[in-house]
């Protein structure tokens, strides 16, 4: 449906202006159609309905690809046509997405659905900055991929599909439980960690453009997301399963999957905040 809308938007634009060039969209209805189509591909609210269900029905590897690699193409197109996009439509969708991502994740028990709503909230922040500052958009996308990838890899290593599965993590894989807790804090955007950087820069940019009310709503919605990240970190690292696992020495053996990429991305997810001045002179 989204691909058909993109074709329809370019056809309508060519029909009215005579140009097929996607970077020269000038007809407002075509611009609005293209924005909606790309938002559906990304999973921005209120067109997010497919993302949690699809993620829940796939394996961890496929879910990782859907929430990271699959976002590159729609965001590249949005980056190309950012001059044609109506800023108000994007800002409204950004607010709805950050709120939906926060509210939706609160009552979930499935890890993939929680990560889907987390993805919707992060994409809301990207949509908010898209029409104002494209450099911050690319920075936010890069950091989002750096933080989300190790999260999914850790869930895959520990075969944690529900919140209940996380309770055995400290017993069986303490080396993963500790970084996971801090990684969740980074995804929530707490200050000394990398995840604070994009939120800080985006809020600063919104206030610069006199959009303080939108910045306030988005900052408050980040608290909703932070709540379920805190809940996950508490369950993963600070609680034990009521019935302790019989095999308590899984972590003593050499892990089968390669752990270097996960640990490298985790370190980047935690320690990049001090380099912020390099990105915003």
């Amino acid at each position: 449906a989204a691909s058909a809308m993109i074709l329809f938007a370019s056809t309508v634009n060519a029909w009215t202006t005579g140009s097929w060039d996607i970077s020269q969209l000038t007809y407002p209805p075509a611009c609005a159609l293209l924005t909606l189509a790309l938002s559906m591909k990304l999973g921005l609210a209120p067109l997010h309905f497919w993302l949690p269900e699809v993620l829940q029905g796939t394996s961890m590897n496929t879910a990782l690809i859907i929430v990271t690699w699959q976002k590159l193409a729609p965001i590249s197109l949005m980056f190309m046509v950012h001059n044609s996009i109506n800023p108000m439509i994007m800002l409204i969708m950004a607010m709805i997405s950050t709120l939906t991502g926060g509210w939706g994740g609160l009552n979930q028990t499935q890890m993939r659905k929680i990560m889907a709503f987390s993805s919707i909230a992060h994409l809301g922040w990207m949509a908010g900055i898209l029409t104002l500052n494209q450099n911050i958009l690319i920075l936010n996308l890069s950091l989002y991929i750096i933080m989300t990838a190790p999260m999914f890899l850790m869930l895959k290593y520990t075969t944690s599909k529900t919140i209940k599965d996380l309770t055995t993590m400290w017993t069986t894989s303490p080396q993963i439980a500790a970084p996971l807790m801090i990684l969740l804090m980074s995804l929530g955007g707490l200050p000394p960690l990398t995840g604070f950087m994009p939120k800080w820069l985006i809020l600063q940019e919104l206030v610069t453009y006199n959009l303080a009310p939108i910045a306030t709503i988005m900052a408050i919605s980040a608290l909703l997301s932070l709540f379920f990240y805190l809940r996950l970190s508490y369950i993963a690292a600070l609680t034990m399963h009521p019935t302790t696992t019989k095999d308590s020495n899984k972590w003593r053996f050499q892990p089968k999957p390669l752990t270097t990429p996960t640990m490298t991305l985790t370190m980047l997810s935690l320690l990049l905040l001090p380099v912020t001045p390099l990105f915003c002179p």
Side-chain angles (χ1 to χ4, degrees), residues 1-122:
S3 300
M5 278 173 73
I6 291 175
L7 285 171
F8 184 59
S10 56
T11 309
V12 168
N13 189 65
W15 188 26
T16 51
T17 63
S19 168
W20 281 98
D21 191 348
I22 197 167
S23 58
Q24 293 179 3
L25 284 174
T26 49
Y27 188 51
C31 299
L33 267 176
L34 185 70
T35 307
L36 290 172
L38 292 173
S39 301
M40 190 188 289
K41 277 185 177 288
L42 278 174
L44 281 175
L47 305 166
H48 66 287
F49 47 86
W50 61 273
L51 188 59
E53 304 303 326
V54 167
L55 236 63
Q56 183 54 37
T58 55
S59 66
M60 279 292 175
N61 284 339
T62 316
L64 169 60
I65 292 166
I66 289 171
V67 296
T68 55
W69 194 254
Q70 195 217 337
K71 306 296 179 202
L72 297 179
I75 286 190
S76 303
L77 280 170
M78 279 190 160
F79 184 80
M80 285 167 62
V81 300
H82 70 266
N83 289 321
S84 312
I85 292 174
N86 184 335
M88 214 57 232
I89 294 177
M90 282 319 291
L91 287 168
I92 290 167
M93 290 181 91
M95 276 195 299
I96 297 171
S97 296
T98 49
L99 288 166
T100 306
W103 279 120
L106 289 180
N107 65 342
Q108 298 297 333
T109 56
Q110 299 287 334
M111 284 307 301
R112 279 165 293 188
K113 275 197 176 177
I114 289 175
M115 291 312 296
F117 282 109
S118 157
S119 174
I120 291 164
H122 279 280

Side-chain angles (χ1 to χ4, degrees), residues 43-276:
L44 281 175
L47 305 166
H48 66 287
F49 47 86
W50 61 273
L51 188 59
E53 304 303 326
V54 167
L55 236 63
Q56 183 54 37
T58 55
S59 66
M60 279 292 175
N61 284 339
T62 316
L64 169 60
I65 292 166
I66 289 171
V67 296
T68 55
W69 194 254
Q70 195 217 337
K71 306 296 179 202
L72 297 179
I75 286 190
S76 303
L77 280 170
M78 279 190 160
F79 184 80
M80 285 167 62
V81 300
H82 70 266
N83 289 321
S84 312
I85 292 174
N86 184 335
M88 214 57 232
I89 294 177
M90 282 319 291
L91 287 168
I92 290 167
M93 290 181 91
M95 276 195 299
I96 297 171
S97 296
T98 49
L99 288 166
T100 306
W103 279 120
L106 289 180
N107 65 342
Q108 298 297 333
T109 56
Q110 299 287 334
M111 284 307 301
R112 279 165 293 188
K113 275 197 176 177
I114 289 175
M115 291 312 296
F117 282 109
S118 157
S119 174
I120 291 164
H122 279 280
L123 287 164
W125 285 87
M126 287 183 229
I129 201 64
L130 173 70
T131 52
L132 307 177
N133 189 325
Q134 290 71 47
N135 294 334
I136 297 179
L137 167 74
I138 291 172
L139 172 67
N140 193 349
L141 178 65
S142 310
L143 293 178
Y144 161 73
I145 291 173
I146 286 171
M147 290 187 292
T148 307
M151 182 72 203
F152 271 96
L153 290 171
M154 285 181 184
L155 293 175
K156 182 179 155 243
Y157 292 161
T158 55
T159 58
S160 303
K161 293 184 174 62
T162 63
I163 289 182
K164 199 173 90 170
D165 295 340
L166 290 180
T167 54
T168 58
M169 191 182 284
W170 188 256
T171 318
T172 56
S173 311
Q175 287 91 336
I176 281 188
L180 181 79
M181 181 173 78
I182 312 171
L183 181 59
L184 284 160
M185 298 295 95
S186 185
L187 275 165
L190 283 184
L193 305 167
T194 306
F196 178 60
M197 189 204 298
K199 287 186 169 59
W200 175 22
L201 295 175
I202 289 170
L203 290 174
Q204 193 177 336
E205 200 72 15
L206 287 168
V207 172
T208 307
Y209 281 90
N210 292 326
L211 296 167
I214 292 173
T216 308
I217 292 167
M218 288 174 73
I220 291 169
S221 71
L223 293 174
L224 294 169
S225 301
L226 183 61
F227 177 81
F228 64 76
Y229 291 131
L230 275 169
R231 188 176 63 156
L232 290 178
S233 60
Y234 176 73
I235 286 167
L238 301 171
T239 50
M240 301 285 268
H241 198 272
T243 53
T244 53
T245 51
K246 291 183 180 68
D247 181 20
S248 63
N249 61 353
K250 183 175 85 173
W251 57 273
R252 298 180 194 203
F253 306 126
Q254 190 70 24
K256 287 187 185 72
L258 194 65
T259 53
T260 313
T262 312
M263 285 301 113
T264 309
L265 289 168
T266 305
M267 287 298 105
L268 290 173
S269 304
L270 306 181
L271 303 172
L272 282 184
L273 187 65
V275 300
T276 309

